[in-house]
Amino acid sequence: MTVFRLRIRNAQQLVQVCNNNEKAKRGAEQDTVAIIENGALIVDAQGKFAAVGTTDEIERWVQAQPQPVTFEKDFDATGLCILPGLIDGHTHPVWSGSRVDEFAMKLAGATYMEVAASGGGINRTVRATRASSESELLALLNKRLDRMLKCGTTTVEAKSGYGLDTETELKMLKVIETAAKSHPIGIVATYLGGHSVPDGMTAAEATVDIVQKQIPALIDAKKAGEINPYFIDVFCEKGVFEYDDTLTILQAGKDAGMKINFHGDELHPMNSGKLCMCLQAHAASHLEMLDSANIQAMADAKTFAVLLPTTMYILRLQSPPARELIQRGVAVALGSDYNPNAHCLSMPLTMHMACCLMKMTMKEALVAATINAAASVDRADTHGSIEVGKHADLLVLDAPQWEHIIYEMADTPIQHVLKDGRFVVSHGQLL
Amino acid sequence: MTVFRLRIRNAQQLVQVCNNNEKAKRGAEQDTVAIIENGALIVDAQGKFAAVGTTDEIERWVQAQPQPVTFEKDFDATGLCILPGLIDGHTHPVWSGSRVDEFAMKLAGATYMEVAASGGGINRTVRATRASSESELLALLNKRLDRMLKCGTTTVEAKSGYGLDTETELKMLKVIETAAKSHPIGIVATYLGGHSVPDGMTAAEATVDIVQKQIPALIDAKKAGEINPYFIDVFCEKGVFEYDDTLTILQAGKDAGMKINFHGDELHPMNSGKLCMCLQAHAASHLEMLDSANIQAMADAKTFAVLLPTTMYILRLQSPPARELIQRGVAVALGSDYNPNAHCLSMPLTMHMACCLMKMTMKEALVAATINAAASVDRADTHGSIEVGKHADLLVLDAPQWEHIIYEMADTPIQHVLKDGRFVVSHGQLL
């Protein structure tokens, strides 16, 4: 007797995204999506794909297993589409306080840096987050993760960075680690002690604090099993951490065993491509101001670009060079950049804005929110496509074509969300 | 004994929008929103507001009623905000077929008119809609209205216009009338026989068909109680119905008892302001290309402007002159323009885009989606604000400040939707 966790049959479209074990899609390949018409799949008892094919192929595959075969759940997807769960490559989901009034300031024309100079911005959230307990922050985080899951995100990159001191950065990373162990969504943690220069310090002093105090404390806490930061991040920006400080911090993080995934070239050209090359950075985000030489450097370094269309839209920034990044062979991923300055939890809307505002195609956007986002958080071996051996994170779409997940904008036709082959959201309700 | 349908108390903010019986908000007044802190309200047995004030004031008001007083439902809004239900001033919700592939064409750079010339666009939806039965169209419409209600829309303007012949336009208006009588959402019907020039006709021939066949048939069907078109609409555009044809059709509609609410100046300057003045039009939509003289003409004619930010965003059009419209005293309303070309059912996202893309403030956007949208569909006497005597259409927001309904973008914190004082949506589920 063989027991499987799940069978899905008769899907109008089963959107694998990849079917040849690609670990990312670059250049013209980013504009391709592997689809099986009348598709089916089997999830094994460990929550991984055991078989993927047409409904007929899977029928024969099942017959070839030791009989009898049983399925904990058998789902008929007639008229529906199946997609990989979405992966959000860049979020700041741990914070307290409110910044809703700053949105009004920005609409009235204040720039990001003017808001910061008036006592708002990141350092305002830092004050609130420092004052919040671990349990308060966890409750806020869990509520946000619930909403992301309902919007179809099954894996999320989650940054610290509203602490800017050892104690609060550790607190945030502990909260992220607790959620990673208890919430159904998959979480990849990023340490972002260099998110902003804390009040009362220079960038040089903050750099020393990060390198000499925060990172050593992180190493100890990681050894103790309290936190698990996979990436190190810095906001590399004029007037924040500039090129040399960024290099120092990222190198120290790398030496401490973290991979590099940083904010670059959002508001000013910062030579982020050169930084990617020097540090062999895994990923870089934002990139609105990146020039051709730096794009080529990113391509040569095989660094993933994580683009954030909602932030560009809200801050009225110029578009990052999505087309040139793709043309030069950089694998482009997407992130919601969820944070108190850009309150978007929805990867479907993020994809829509990537299409309308950054001139990506729908296929490029889906690749960017699945396999390439998985790659940007170094999870392409296990997530981001519907292929045998990967985790069975899935969306069931009440639509006859997968493009509806983008086309329908805010109110998407996501009917079910599955994590490791188990239903975690149905009809907008957490299960 | 006095029986009321509903009491709500202790609202963090009760956002009335208007508190002085304003029938629309123009100029600087559009940037004002009446709010009661620690607010409360009573809904009478007919579903209308009986009293609105602070929780203390309402407590005293209740004590002054003939005792004992009972409430069918008593809701504690501690920590929550109460807003008027949103009003969507412009939608095309009755259609069948699919246009999702045209979105891909448009992303690749095809213009609206190029898509139409390739056999796509409105006339493609016309072919599918003509081939659909009344019951098929009603099922599709009801599903869309359900989704709008979940997004917080409690009253919607709904156009025909995918028939372009007498039979199908009547069919669409019958479907709208059936929904108006059976669906909880409030519907104001608009006849849009002049949405596109049907295949095989010139604009002049189509104008004759509308004036001599369609409108007389509408008059008969309305007398028979089968349909109830309140407005007449035309797509006034270069290569579609130009100035003179538009004038002829709208005048004929007005003579038949319909008010005027038309599409103007979307892709080319069409002198829509002059048209508003000549016809004393009630409302005009789109207006991306409107110049100052025509804005002033709209202001002088007291015509409502219904702006459609999602369409501008998807078609990458220039922004309509929202700021100059407001400055010159035109009351600006908003619509989702829900249609197969711009699949947005969400007024919160529409408001967000009005802020980010058209430079409206959050207050202006809320006014535009409540009292001014009510005014644009001639329902300001009965809807669009929380004032005694009006219909108790309400949103309950899980947020401490009303601005969160805009700020949170796609995944809004709407906890409940009420129509005429009754809960119709709770936690994303229809009741």
Side-chain angles (χ1 to χ4, degrees), chain A residues 95 98-101 103-104 107 143 147-148 151 310 313-314 316 339-346 349 352-362 398 401 403-404 406-413 426-429, chain B residues 95 98-101 103-104 107 143 147-148 151 310 313-314 316 339-346 349 352-362 398 401 403-404 406-413 426-429:
Chain A
W95 52 275
S98 172
R99 300 251 299 275
V100 67
D101 52 337
F103 183 49
L107 292 174
K143 198 168 171 184
R147 291 170 74 176
M148 289 178 178
C151 291
T310 56
Y313 154 78
I314 289 172
R316 298 173 181 146
N339 77 74
N341 171 57
H343 201 293
C344 180
L345 296 147
S346 164
L349 184 63
H352 200 285
M353 289 191 169
C355 292
C356 285
L357 301 178
M358 295 173 12
K359 305 205 171 178
M360 289 171 66
T361 69
M362 284 192 276
D398 181 12
Q401 276 180 264
E403 290 92 340
H404 283 263
I406 300 178
Y407 165 73
E408 297 196 14
M409 297 183 69
D411 173 44
T412 63
S426 280
H427 300 285
Q429 302 299 299
Chain B
W95 52 276
S98 172
R99 300 250 299 275
V100 68
D101 51 337
F103 183 49
L107 292 174
K143 198 169 171 183
R147 291 170 74 176
M148 289 177 179
C151 291
T310 56
Y313 154 79
I314 288 172
R316 298 171 181 147
N339 77 75
N341 171 57
H343 201 294
C344 181
L345 296 146
S346 164
L349 184 62
H352 200 285
M353 289 191 169
C355 292
C356 284
L357 302 179
M358 294 173 12
K359 305 203 171 179
M360 288 171 66
T361 69
M362 285 192 276
D398 181 12
Q401 275 180 265
E403 290 91 339
H404 283 263
I406 300 179
Y407 165 73
E408 298 195 13
M409 297 183 69
D411 173 44
T412 63
S426 279
H427 300 285
Q429 303 298 300

Side-chain angles (χ1 to χ4, degrees), chain A residues 210-268:
Chain A
I210 289 168
V211 171
Q212 297 189 357
K213 290 192 188 160
Q214 295 186 34
I215 291 178
L218 255 61
I219 294 171
D220 291 343
K222 187 171 179 181
K223 276 188 197 146
E226 296 172 353
I227 64 170
N228 189 24
Y230 192 84
F231 290 112
I232 182 159
D233 190 354
V234 171
F235 184 24
C236 178
E237 183 55 60
K238 192 173 165 189
V240 190
F241 295 95
E242 303 206 3
Y243 191 95
D244 291 341
D245 288 331
T246 301
L247 188 69
T248 302
I249 295 170
L250 292 177
Q251 185 62 55
K254 193 173 184 182
D255 293 344
M258 292 179 274
K259 296 201 177 190
I260 293 172
N261 185 340
F262 73 104
H263 289 61
D265 279 59
E266 178 182 354
L267 306 172
H268 297 89

Side-chain angles (χ1 to χ4, degrees), chain B residues 87-400:
Chain B
I87 296 179
D88 188 339
H90 182 127
T91 80
H92 305 256
V94 187
W95 52 276
S96 62
S98 172
R99 300 250 299 275
V100 68
D101 51 337
E102 291 177 19
F103 183 49
M105 286 177 68
K106 270 173 261 159
L107 292 174
T111 66
Y112 184 93
M113 286 305 188
E114 285 165 354
V115 169
S118 76
I122 292 171
N123 283 4
R124 183 171 168 204
T125 299
V126 168
R127 292 190 291 278
T129 304
R130 285 180 179 174
S132 294
S133 70
E134 213 171 299
S135 66
E136 284 165 355
L137 291 173
L138 182 62
L140 288 165
L141 173 61
N142 276 328
K143 198 169 171 183
R144 293 165 190 155
L145 296 174
D146 287 349
R147 291 170 74 176
M148 289 177 179
L149 201 62
K150 287 185 197 177
C151 291
T153 298
T154 50
T155 298
V156 59
E157 188 263 11
K159 301 178 193 293
S160 69
Y162 295 116
L164 311 185
D165 60 22
T166 304
E167 183 189 354
T168 316
E169 289 295 317
L170 281 174
K171 179 171 70 179
M172 292 181 73
L173 289 167
K174 282 180 195 168
V175 167
I176 292 171
E177 179 64 5
T178 303
K181 287 180 174 163
S182 57
H183 196 280
I185 211 166
I187 299 180
V188 180
T190 295
Y191 161 63
L192 177 52
H195 194 196
S196 178
V197 177
D199 290 334
M201 272 194 193
T202 63
E205 289 165 348
T207 300
V208 170
D209 188 70
I210 289 168
V211 171
Q212 297 189 356
K213 289 191 189 161
Q214 295 185 35
I215 291 178
L218 254 62
I219 294 171
D220 291 344
K222 187 171 179 180
K223 276 188 197 147
E226 296 171 353
I227 64 171
N228 190 23
Y230 191 84
F231 290 112
I232 182 160
D233 190 354
V234 171
F235 184 23
C236 178
E237 183 54 61
K238 192 174 165 188
V240 190
F241 294 95
E242 303 204 3
Y243 190 95
D244 291 341
D245 288 332
T246 301
L247 188 69
T248 302
I249 295 170
L250 293 177
Q251 185 62 56
K254 193 173 184 182
D255 293 344
M258 292 178 275
K259 296 200 178 192
I260 293 172
N261 185 341
F262 73 104
H263 290 60
D265 280 57
E266 178 181 356
L267 306 172
H268 296 89
M270 300 300 295
N271 270 323
S272 291
K274 188 177 157 198
L275 260 176
C276 291
M277 182 61 95
C278 292
L279 291 162
Q280 289 298 302
H282 186 82
S285 294
H286 278 296
L287 309 174
E288 281 80 355
M289 306 302 291
L290 209 66
D291 64 18
S292 294
N294 278 282
I295 294 171
Q296 191 56 49
M298 276 190 78
D300 294 342
K302 301 264 180 223
T303 303
F304 296 97
V306 184
L307 303 186
L308 311 172
T310 56
T311 307
M312 163 211 163
Y313 154 79
I314 288 172
L315 297 181
R316 298 171 181 147
L317 307 178
Q318 70 176 54
S319 173
R323 293 252 53 84
E324 189 176 348
L325 283 160
I326 291 172
Q327 280 153 15
R328 288 185 185 267
V330 178
V332 170
L334 288 171
S336 68
D337 196 17
Y338 172 73
N339 77 75
N341 171 57
H343 201 294
C344 181
L345 296 146
S346 164
M347 286 302 290
L349 184 62
T350 299
M351 288 191 281
H352 200 285
M353 289 191 169
C355 292
C356 284
L357 302 179
M358 294 173 12
K359 305 203 171 179
M360 288 171 66
T361 69
M362 285 192 276
K363 288 176 187 168
E364 287 169 345
L366 183 68
V367 165
T370 54
I371 188 64
N372 281 8
S376 78
V377 294
D378 210 15
R379 296 295 183 275
D381 287 339
T382 50
H383 296 80
S385 62
I386 300 180
E387 293 180 280
V388 170
K390 286 196 175 183
H391 286 260
D393 297 352
L394 295 169
L395 307 183
V396 179
L397 220 60
D398 181 12

Side-chain angles (χ1 to χ4, degrees), chain A residues 113-268:
Chain A
M113 286 305 188
E114 285 165 354
V115 169
S118 76
I122 292 171
N123 283 5
R124 183 171 168 203
T125 300
V126 168
R127 292 190 290 278
T129 304
R130 285 179 179 174
S132 294
S133 70
E134 214 171 300
S135 66
E136 284 166 355
L137 291 173
L138 182 62
L140 288 166
L141 173 61
N142 276 327
K143 198 168 171 184
R144 292 164 190 155
L145 296 174
D146 287 349
R147 291 170 74 176
M148 289 178 178
L149 201 62
K150 288 185 196 176
C151 291
T153 298
T154 51
T155 298
V156 60
E157 188 263 10
K159 301 178 193 293
S160 69
Y162 295 116
L164 311 185
D165 60 24
T166 303
E167 182 190 354
T168 316
E169 289 295 317
L170 282 175
K171 179 171 70 178
M172 292 181 74
L173 288 167
K174 283 180 195 168
V175 167
I176 292 171
E177 179 64 5
T178 303
K181 288 180 173 162
S182 57
H183 196 279
I185 211 165
I187 299 180
V188 180
T190 295
Y191 161 62
L192 176 52
H195 194 195
S196 178
V197 177
D199 289 335
M201 272 194 194
T202 64
E205 290 165 348
T207 300
V208 169
D209 188 70
I210 289 168
V211 171
Q212 297 189 357
K213 290 192 188 160
Q214 295 186 34
I215 291 178
L218 255 61
I219 294 171
D220 291 343
K222 187 171 179 181
K223 276 188 197 146
E226 296 172 353
I227 64 170
N228 189 24
Y230 192 84
F231 290 112
I232 182 159
D233 190 354
V234 171
F235 184 24
C236 178
E237 183 55 60
K238 192 173 165 189
V240 190
F241 295 95
E242 303 206 3
Y243 191 95
D244 291 341
D245 288 331
T246 301
L247 188 69
T248 302
I249 295 170
L250 292 177
Q251 185 62 55
K254 193 173 184 182
D255 293 344
M258 292 179 274
K259 296 201 177 190
I260 293 172
N261 185 340
F262 73 104
H263 289 61
D265 279 59
E266 178 182 354
L267 306 172
H268 297 89

